Amino acid sequence: MIRYFDENGIIEPTQVERLPDGMTADTAITAFSDFLFDELTGKYGAKQVCTITGGIDRPVYAIERDGKHVLVYKSPVGAPAAAMAMEEVGMLGVENFVAFGICGALTDTPFRTLVVPDRAFRDEGTSYHYLPPADFIELKNARTVRARLDEMGVNSVVGGTWCTDGFYRETRTRAEQVKAQGCIAVDMESAALQAVCDYRGKSFYTFFITADSLAGEKWESNDLLKLSVTSTDKVAVAAAVELAFKLNR
């Protein structure tokens, strides 16, 4: 692997649309799943304010409360594309990112449990373009996320997450290795998104909803691909919105 160099990229995320005149937003919420994103934009009256490209055009919405705005956009699945979208939204003046979505459980955790990851095992490639090599990256604001969820009366569990690029290469051997290092969930983007924020001097806040399980001998898909909104999903969306507006200046 080419070693990490702390230098500017040849291409920088500068060619993006701007927010409407007079609008500012310090904080953005991003979701990965269609059903979570639809709940987020539909329930809270989000209105489209601009578009980012990130390989394909992606609309950016805004939620308004008491004259303040929080941006909302849907992240593509996978670290490289999600990081690209974050880079472009960051150019709109965003300093805080709240990301939430579904994850796989690595331990005996009930479906639809909220997980607050406090560190991510870097089994993906994108984070290594932003930070020097290391097995783990600290998800620095896990305590804040957990505290905010507690304030809202939302139960959650805290632990490490295995961040991987290879959805269909999540082998039993690798799963047992990361479990032995304290990982309780598996996702595909958290390490990269934290790395982007660390490199750009921004803040990252994230939590997951367990949707499938790798804890047993066989994969339990449960409702991973079921496009419906449950009460837990609604709570998670509400929690993301409340967290975002608390962060917003």
Side-chain angles (χ1 to χ4, degrees):
M1 176 180 286
I2 298 175
R3 69 184 181 89
Y4 172 76
F5 293 97
D6 186 9
E7 61 180 281
N8 292 335
I10 298 171
I11 304 171
E12 291 288 340
T14 56
Q15 302 301 316
V16 297
E17 287 189 31
R18 299 301 174 188
L19 296 177
D21 290 343
M23 177 182 289
T24 60
D26 297 314
T27 304
I29 306 171
T30 188
F32 297 85
S33 304
D34 287 338
F35 57 96
L36 292 177
F37 185 77
D38 291 345
E39 170 75 6
L40 176 60
T41 54
K43 184 174 182 179
Y44 293 90
K47 297 180 179 179
Q48 184 175 347
V49 292
C50 66
T51 302
I52 60 173
T53 57
I56 61 174
D57 288 348
R58 292 185 177 277
V60 177
Y61 300 84
I63 299 172
E64 182 179 359
R65 178 185 294 179
D66 299 328
K68 295 183 178 181
H69 295 90
V70 165
L71 301 185
V72 178
Y73 70 100
K74 182 163 65 175
S75 280
V77 173
M84 185 182 298
M86 172 179 273
E87 286 270 37
E88 295 189 347
V89 173
M91 293 301 297
L92 299 173
V94 172
E95 297 296 329
N96 307 302
F97 287 87
V98 177
F100 72 108
I102 60 177
C103 72
L106 293 178
T107 58
D108 189 13
T109 305
F111 292 121
R112 298 292 171 179
T113 297
L114 265 63
V115 174
V116 179
D118 58 3
R119 60 180 183 151
F121 186 79
R122 296 167 64 186
D123 194 18
E124 41 67 58
T126 304
S127 67
Y128 293 90
H129 294 275
Y130 288 87
L131 298 175
D135 286 343
F136 280 92
I137 184 171
E138 179 187 1
L139 300 176
K140 299 176 180 178
N141 291 307
R143 289 185 179 181
T144 299
V145 175
R146 176 66 180 273
R148 293 291 180 264
L149 292 176
D150 287 347
E151 288 175 4
M152 289 179 257
V154 179
N155 294 326
S156 61
V157 296
V158 178
T161 183
W162 167 26
C163 189
T164 176
D165 281 338
F167 182 83
Y168 292 112
R169 292 298 300 147
E170 295 173 356
T171 65
R172 179 57 55 197
T173 298
R174 182 60 65 90
E176 293 302 323
Q177 288 176 341
V178 295
K179 282 171 60 178
Q181 298 187 69
C183 291
I184 63 173
V186 54
D187 80 294
M188 298 183 70
E189 300 88 12
S190 61
L193 298 185
Q194 181 68 65
V196 171
C197 286
D198 285 357
Y199 182 79
R200 298 293 184 186
K202 300 179 185 294
S203 298
F204 181 57
Y205 304 80
T206 190
F207 61 92
F208 308 139
I209 308 168
T210 56
D212 61 324
S213 179
L214 286 74
E217 293 184 2
K218 294 183 178 180
W219 176 51
E220 295 182 68
S221 62
N222 194 41
D223 57 356
L224 176 66
L225 300 178
K226 184 179 179 182
L227 299 180
S228 63
V229 177
T230 70
S231 58
T232 306
D233 299 333
K234 292 179 180 179
V235 168
V237 171
V241 171
E242 293 306 313
L243 173 58
F245 275 101
K246 284 182 178 294
L247 295 170
N248 212 24
R249 292 196 298 269

